[in-house]
């Protein structure tokens, strides 16, 4: 009754996150799905979330083997960094096409998205794959555009990575002080709530 949403695996398409094959992931998903539903039938089970739109074939193969049967939601990590948020339009369309190909009528959630953001107190060189850190103003704009593009594309939920993260978070390096993007989050929430 406390935790009601479970993403079965984060980024199984990356060898650093998962060392098995798709059939093994399917078996794990089946076991997890039925175990979670036995604990509480109200639990929402989110499919293993692939890391990038370039790995859409992984999602296709997983769903082809029946992976959609063991989730209530299709999860995807729609990272487009270091690119601009508008790349989401094509990526969302691609994921929706794969989900429809397998005749699934399930919500799609963007369970991770984010960019590097400059800190006001201290900066670190991590998450270099995400490009040059955005300024405070760019981060707020990218966040707003990401939310609106996801929303208009039919993505039911979007989760920013992360609140407290030393290079991609909504807080400063100290992991406590909110950045400008956190204020943008609060404002945008009131617009679409």
């Amino acid at each position: 009754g406390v935790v009601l949403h479970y993403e079965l695996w984060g980024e199984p398409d990356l060898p650093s996150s998962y060392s098995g094959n798709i059939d093994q992931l399917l078996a794990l998903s089946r076991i997890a799905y039925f175990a979670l539903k036995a604990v509480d039938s109200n639990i929402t089970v989110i499919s293993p979330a692939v890391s990038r739109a370039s790995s859409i074939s992984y999602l296709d193969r997983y769903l082809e083997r029946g992976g959609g049967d063991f989730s209530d939601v299709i999860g995807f990590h729609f990272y487009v960094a270091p690119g601009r948020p508008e790349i989401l339009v094509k990526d969302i369309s691609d994921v929706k096409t794969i989900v429809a190909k397998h005749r699934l009528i399930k919500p799609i959630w963007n369970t991770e998205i984010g960019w590097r953001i400059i800190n006001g107190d201290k900066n670190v060189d991590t998450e270099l794959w995400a490009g040059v850190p955005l300024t405070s103003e760019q981060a707020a704009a990218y966040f707003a555009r990401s939310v609106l593009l996801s929303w208009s594309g039919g993505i039911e939920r979007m989760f920013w990575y992360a609140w407290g993260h030393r290079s991609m978070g909504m807080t400063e390096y100290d992991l406590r002080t909110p950045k400008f993007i956190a204020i943008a989050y609060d404002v945008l929430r009131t617009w679409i709530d």
Side-chain angles (χ1 to χ4, degrees):
V2 177
V3 179
L4 294 176
H5 300 90
Y6 290 83
E7 183 175 86
L8 295 180
W9 207 283
E11 305 179 351
D13 54 307
L14 297 179
S16 60
S17 297
Y18 177 68
S19 62
N21 61 40
I22 289 179
D23 290 327
Q24 292 166 324
L25 183 62
L26 185 61
L28 291 169
S29 297
R30 183 183 314 108
I31 292 165
Y33 180 81
F34 288 114
L36 290 165
K37 292 296 186 174
V39 169
D40 185 342
S41 62
N42 294 314
I43 285 174
T44 299
V45 179
I46 306 154
S47 70
V50 176
S51 66
R52 304 187 156 275
S54 62
S55 296
I56 192 105
S57 63
Y58 193 97
L59 175 64
D60 189 23
R61 292 190 316 272
Y62 178 78
L63 295 177
E64 184 176 70
R65 288 174 171 81
D69 295 339
F70 308 112
S71 66
D72 304 307
V73 171
I74 303 300
F76 204 88
H77 292 183
F78 283 96
Y79 284 109
V80 296
R84 300 165 68 84
E86 287 71 23
I87 297 169
L88 283 167
V89 174
K90 180 183 182 320
D91 292 354
I92 289 168
S93 176
D94 290 347
V95 171
K96 288 172 81 173
T97 297
I98 294 299
V99 171
K101 172 185 171 183
H102 298 286
R103 302 175 194 260
L104 296 172
I105 301 171
K106 296 184 185 241
I108 300 170
W109 290 5
N110 182 351
T111 57
E112 277 189 38
I113 189 170
W115 284 262
R116 289 177 69 203
I117 306 169
I118 199 152
N119 293 329
D121 53 355
K122 179 180 179 181
N123 289 285
V124 292
D125 284 332
T126 60
E127 309 297 341
L128 299 177
W129 60 268
V132 175
L134 302 176
T135 66
S136 294
E137 293 78 14
Q138 287 173 321
Y142 274 42
F143 172 75
R145 286 162 38 204
S146 297
V147 168
L148 296 173
L149 289 165
S150 294
W151 186 40
S152 69
I155 301 300
E156 289 194 8
R157 294 193 183 188
M158 185 189 100
F159 299 87
W160 187 269
Y161 185 81
W163 174 256
H165 188 277
R166 293 206 157 113
S167 65
M168 297 180 76
M170 291 188 174
T171 60
E172 296 290 352
Y173 182 87
D174 67 12
L175 304 178
R176 289 186 305 276
T177 307
K179 294 181 188 175
F180 184 62
I181 188 174
I183 297 166
Y185 170 87
D186 197 42
V187 170
L188 189 61
R189 181 188 55 79
T190 65
W191 290 354
I192 60 176
D193 218 5

